[in-house]
Amino acid sequence: QLVPLIGFISVGLGSAVLYLLRLALYSPDVSWDRKNNPEPWNKLSPTDQYKFLAVSTDYKNLKKDRPSF
């Protein structure tokens, strides 16, 4: 009777770990290399998708609406 419980807990923990790894590696808010890239959010183009799920946004058709620094 504990086998399904252990299975569900392991699937939940595994998916939580994978989601945290995705956030750590692909999120523009995280800076692992502060010497070469101190502000990674400034190097994103408007067509980069950094949200996990965007329901109504088509990132391919976005245009740049901010200045380049």
Side-chain angles (χ1 to χ4, degrees), residues 7-66:
F8 285 123
I9 288 175
S10 62
V11 167
L13 286 173
S15 62
V17 166
L18 288 176
Y19 182 66
L20 287 175
L21 281 174
R22 182 197 178 279
L23 284 177
L25 295 176
Y26 296 114
S27 177
D29 300 331
V30 178
S31 177
W32 292 99
D33 187 11
R34 292 188 181 186
K35 290 183 180 178
N36 296 326
N37 193 8
E39 297 176 344
W41 51 88
N42 286 335
K43 295 188 178 186
L44 289 175
S45 69
T47 58
D48 288 340
Q49 180 177 356
Y50 58 91
K51 290 186 177 181
F52 187 69
L53 177 66
V55 177
S56 62
T57 305
D58 186 16
Y59 286 96
K60 294 177 184 174
N61 296 329
L62 288 179
K63 294 188 171 105
K64 187 174 183 178
D65 60 349
R66 59 185 181 237

